[in-house]
Amino acid sequence: MRRVFLMLYFQLFVLTGNSQIQKGVIKDSIGSPIENAYIINTTSQSHAHSNEFGSFSIDKTKNGDILSVSALGCKKKSFTVSSDNFEIVLEDDIYKLEQVVIQSKLSAMNVISKIDLQTSPVNSSQEILRKVPGLFIGQHAGGGKAEQMFLRGFDIDHGTDIAISVDGMPVNMVSHAHGQGYADLHFVIPDIIEKIDFGKGTYYANKGDFATAGYVAFQTKEKIDRSYISLEAGQFNTSKMVGVFNLLENKKNQYAYLATEYILTDGPFDSPQNFNRINLFGKYSSIFSDGSRLSFSGSQFTSKWDASGQIPQRLIDNGSISRFGAVDNTEGGNTSRTNINVAYTKKIDENTFVKNTFFYSKYQFELYSNFTFFLNDPINGDQIRQKESRDLYGFNSEWNKKKQ
């Protein structure tokens, strides 16, 4: 009987040792956590993925086992387990196709869209929406308005049926003068977008009422690698300047940067568009010892433009105007938005965290349109004005727990 108990104890000891759970953190060369890194035990073949804090837990792993760690944009690394809690630092590398792992637990298309964003530059933040598969946009009545969007067979106008957010702050406007759900994304500078999360269909209760056809959530960068200024010029008196400046180069776990964008263009129309847009964005982020994060961001956006508006086909046919002409070239408008956003993410354990977001926006909008020219008022014309002036503020708290 004693021998039987000894054998059972030995087997239990072996099984416990083989099923031991190890915990660790994966970071990049400057100390930032790496999300969705793939970790596999080369002996037991157990595997895990890091969460947004870079943390992971892997079972059937004991001291002396070798872990193979890989992540998009990082060099693959082998690591020998020597303690119950450890930190793995990965070096930066170019993106490689073989690093893309498609699994039900990961949003593979979101990862691919991130790569596409970094390799295919865009001229405005609204164009980033084209990175979402199946989403199409079109601009009309001047470049200062939010683009019209189409998704999954929906004509979702300027955002009526798609929920758009930036760092947890909603972009859509409720009961907007130009249309319910109006979502002007031009206050975001494309160079500071880090991640695009999206989903299609009315399957996301946490995304709110506007997610009738889907949602798109943008996340801005916490840090930048280098400061730079870029200048561009093109046809139709078009010029663009972008400046991104790192403000805390030598601070570990603290990041701050400032970004600005200035665009001018007359557009291809006979009547100059006189379009200009100014963007200013600043962000400070801090990562605490337990992996929790705190960030403050603020932005200011101002845009003005003239628009040629719609034109009747009969005037083009009889030669009165060209297809780029205008009947009422005093259409157009101006808009501005000032944002303040505070986000605090508290790590509870390797699989649980709480995220709190507070935002405030001061929004202005004024648009002049003329759809019927001189039909109703032959003397002064039928031009109308749509005007908005509102303050938006809100708080959102999320409890997130990842299933094992």
Side-chain angles (χ1 to χ4, degrees), residues 14-144:
V14 172
L15 290 174
T16 303
N18 288 337
S19 62
Q20 184 177 355
I21 296 177
Q22 298 284 356
K23 299 177 181 180
V25 177
I26 300 178
K27 297 182 178 181
D28 60 19
S29 55
I30 60 175
S32 297
I34 298 177
E35 184 180 2
N36 287 331
Y38 181 66
I39 307 100
I40 182 169
N41 186 319
T42 57
T43 303
S44 66
Q45 295 301 305
S46 61
H47 64 275
H49 294 93
S50 60
N51 61 18
E52 63 180 66
F53 298 99
S55 301
F56 69 93
S57 58
I58 183 169
D59 61 358
K60 299 180 183 179
T61 302
K62 59 184 183 299
N63 290 346
D65 286 354
I66 297 177
L67 302 180
S68 177
V69 185
S70 60
L72 281 173
C74 297
K75 293 181 179 179
K76 192 172 183 178
K77 183 176 183 178
S78 295
F79 179 84
T80 302
V81 179
S82 59
S83 61
D84 291 339
N85 289 280
F86 47 87
E87 181 178 298
I88 302 175
V89 178
L90 299 182
E91 298 180 13
D92 295 337
D93 195 8
I94 60 174
Y95 284 100
K96 297 178 181 179
L97 184 60
E98 58 265 26
Q99 291 179 324
V100 179
V101 179
I102 300 178
Q103 293 187 355
S104 59
K105 295 181 180 180
L106 300 177
S107 300
M109 288 304 300
N110 296 5
V111 175
I112 294 172
S113 294
K114 179 180 178 180
I115 299 174
D116 189 23
L117 177 64
Q118 295 180 347
T119 56
S120 303
V122 294
N123 292 322
S124 75
S125 54
Q126 205 83 9
E127 288 187 25
I128 299 175
L129 292 170
R130 290 196 176 106
K131 303 299 182 182
V132 177
L135 194 153
F136 302 88
I137 66 171
Q139 178 60 263
H140 65 95

Side-chain angles (χ1 to χ4, degrees), residues 168-359:
M169 177 182 65
V171 179
N172 303 76
M173 296 283 176
V174 178
S175 301
H176 191 274
H178 191 65
Q180 170 76 343
Y182 186 87
D184 187 353
L185 198 62
H186 290 130
F187 66 87
V188 181
I189 302 172
D191 300 60
I192 64 172
I193 294 295
E194 172 70 19
K195 179 181 177 181
I196 308 174
D197 180 27
F198 60 86
K200 303 173 187 178
T202 54
Y203 319 119
Y204 314 97
N206 62 328
K207 301 304 177 182
D209 296 338
F210 289 113
T212 308
Y215 76 92
V216 183
F218 295 95
Q219 181 178 315
T220 60
K221 296 179 179 179
E222 285 193 343
K223 63 182 187 303
I224 58 170
D225 299 328
R226 58 186 176 86
S227 300
Y228 62 89
I229 297 176
S230 67
L231 300 173
E232 302 176 32
Q235 292 179 300
F236 313 118
N237 295 322
T238 300
S239 59
K240 177 181 178 181
M241 186 278 290
V242 175
V244 181
F245 309 97
N246 192 350
L247 304 180
L248 292 176
E249 294 187 9
N250 301 318
K251 292 283 188 179
K252 187 176 181 180
N253 295 331
Q254 291 188 65
Y255 315 105
Y257 65 91
L258 186 68
T260 183
E261 177 189 57
Y262 184 48
I263 298 177
L264 292 171
T265 185
D266 284 339
F269 302 98
D270 295 341
S271 180
Q273 191 175 357
N274 299 316
F275 172 81
N276 69 80
R277 181 169 70 234
I278 302 174
N279 264 326
L280 183 64
F281 179 88
K283 187 173 184 178
Y284 167 82
S285 301
S286 178
I287 301 177
F288 302 102
S289 57
D290 64 347
S292 300
R293 294 199 294 259
L294 177 67
S295 68
F296 298 89
S297 63
S299 64
Q300 170 64 40
F301 153 76
T302 302
S303 181
K304 295 181 180 180
W305 71 98
D306 296 324
S308 297
Q310 45 281 314
I311 54 176
Q313 183 67 42
R314 64 181 182 276
L315 293 185
I316 301 176
D317 294 340
N318 65 24
S320 298
I321 58 174
S322 73
R323 60 174 296 192
F324 296 101
V327 174
D328 183 356
N329 64 354
T330 62
E331 295 186 40
N334 60 83
T335 184
S336 66
R337 181 166 179 165
T338 302
N339 302 303
I340 297 174
N341 198 340
V342 181
Y344 176 62
T345 305
K346 173 63 178 176
K347 180 181 177 183
I348 307 300
D349 55 40
E350 285 73 18
N351 300 304
T352 310
F353 67 90
V354 177
K355 184 174 183 179
N356 299 301
T357 304
F358 170 79
F359 67 88

